Amino acid sequence: MSKNASALKVKLSSYDELFGAKAPVASDQIVNVTLSELHTFKNHPFHVNDDKEMEELAESIREHGVLIPGIVRPRAEGGYELIAGHRRKHGSELAGKTEMPVIVRDYSDDEATIMMVDSNIQRETILPSEKAKAYRMKYDAMKHQGSRTGGLTLEELGEAAGESAKTVQRDIWISRLSEPLLDMVDAGKIGIMQAVDLSFLSEDAQQWVLVAIQDTNAVI
C-alpha cells in the first residue's frame, strides 16, 4: 500500500472514530495546540498501545501531519482536556511533533463524557474492560443529563455501537468487577457470562475468587 493510500485510510478511520462518519460542523475552528497542553480525559477507559497500528499512525503523522483534529475542552487548571484524539496525540509524540490541531469546544462534564465514549466505542479492536467502563461512564452521564430511564436508556447507549440494550446492560454489570478480574476477562481467562455472574459478588468475594483462580491457574 502506498503512503498516500495509508494516509487516506488513517483519515477515513479517524473520521469514523471521531464523528461517526460525519464531518465537523462549519462553525468549528481548528487551532494548533502544544502537546504538553493536552491532558488525558479523566478516567479515560481506552488504552493507547504501542502496537503496529500506532506505528502506522505515527508514520502517517510524520509524513502528512494529523489529518483529523482532536476535540478538546479548556481546563480550569490551564491547558486542555482531550475528549477525542488520545491516539493521535501519542502518534504525534512518536513522530517527533510538538503540537497537533484540535477543535476546542466548551462541553459540560456529561457532554464531554458522552462524546469521548462515542468517539471510541466503534473501534475495530476494543477490550471487554474498555467497553464495560465506557458504557458505565456514558450511562452515568446520561442519567445526570436527565435522559429517559430503564430499557430505553440502554437502547440509546447501544445505538452508537449498534448493540442491543441487553448487551449494554451486560457490559455495565461487568464494569463492577475488580481491576484484576477485568484483566482476566481481557486475557480470556474469565468468560463474559462468568464475568457477569461474578459482578454481583461483593468486593471481598471477588477477591476470594481472584485468589482461587491464581492458585489453581484456572480458566472459567
Side-chain angles (χ1 to χ4, degrees):
M1 182 181 293
S2 67
K3 289 184 177 179
N4 287 336
S6 297
L8 179 59
K9 180 180 178 181
V10 170
K11 182 175 183 178
L12 293 175
S13 297
S14 297
Y15 264 115
D16 289 342
E17 283 183 10
L18 186 53
F19 301 105
K22 294 180 181 178
V25 297
S27 59
D28 282 333
Q29 293 187 346
I30 300 173
V31 297
N32 287 320
V33 173
T34 303
L35 296 180
S36 61
E37 293 186 278
L38 299 177
H39 302 272
T40 301
F41 194 91
K42 183 179 180 180
N43 297 324
H44 190 253
F46 300 99
H47 301 300
V48 176
N49 300 314
D50 286 317
D51 51 19
K52 183 178 180 181
E53 290 183 357
M54 180 56 68
E55 291 178 7
E56 293 175 351
L57 177 60
E59 179 61 25
S60 174
I61 292 173
R62 190 174 293 111
E63 292 292 324
H64 307 282
V66 174
L67 299 174
I68 301 298
I71 293 182
V72 302
R73 65 173 181 164
R75 296 170 77 239
E77 309 91 328
Y80 301 89
E81 182 180 40
L82 269 170
I83 297 172
H86 293 78
R87 294 183 71 254
R88 275 160 281 174
K89 178 193 175 185
H90 187 55
S92 296
E93 291 170 339
L94 295 178
K97 304 294 184 179
T98 59
E99 60 183 21
M100 73 175 250
V102 298
I103 295 170
V104 181
R105 292 178 177 169
D106 190 22
Y107 281 135
S108 67
D109 289 346
D110 293 333
E111 290 170 336
T113 296
I114 292 170
M115 181 63 179
M116 181 276 295
V117 172
D118 286 347
S119 67
N120 286 278
I121 203 68
Q122 295 190 53
R123 287 183 182 178
E124 291 183 10
T125 55
I126 182 171
L127 294 172
S129 65
E130 293 176 318
K131 188 164 66 166
K133 292 176 182 178
Y135 276 144
R136 167 60 70 179
M137 292 177 70
K138 185 176 178 181
Y139 178 71
D140 290 342
M142 290 177 68
K143 286 198 301 183
H144 293 158
Q145 286 188 325
S147 181
R148 293 172 293 178
T149 60
L152 289 176
T153 296
L154 297 176
E155 289 175 359
E156 292 169 2
L157 270 171
E159 283 180 359
E163 293 188 318
S164 68
K166 182 178 180 180
T167 298
V168 172
Q169 180 65 83
R170 182 197 68 188
D171 288 327
I172 290 175
W173 282 332
I174 292 174
S175 73
R176 300 182 302 195
L177 289 176
S178 66
E179 286 296 328
L181 288 179
L182 279 173
D183 290 341
M184 289 186 173
V185 176
D186 288 341
K189 294 182 178 180
I190 297 177
I192 295 298
M193 297 314 299
Q194 289 72 30
V196 171
D197 292 338
L198 294 174
S199 72
F200 289 93
L201 298 178
S202 66
E203 291 183 8
D204 287 342
Q206 288 187 30
Q207 180 63 27
W208 296 337
V209 171
L210 175 64
V211 171
I213 295 174
Q214 291 173 333
D215 285 346
T216 60
N217 198 27
V219 176
I220 64 173

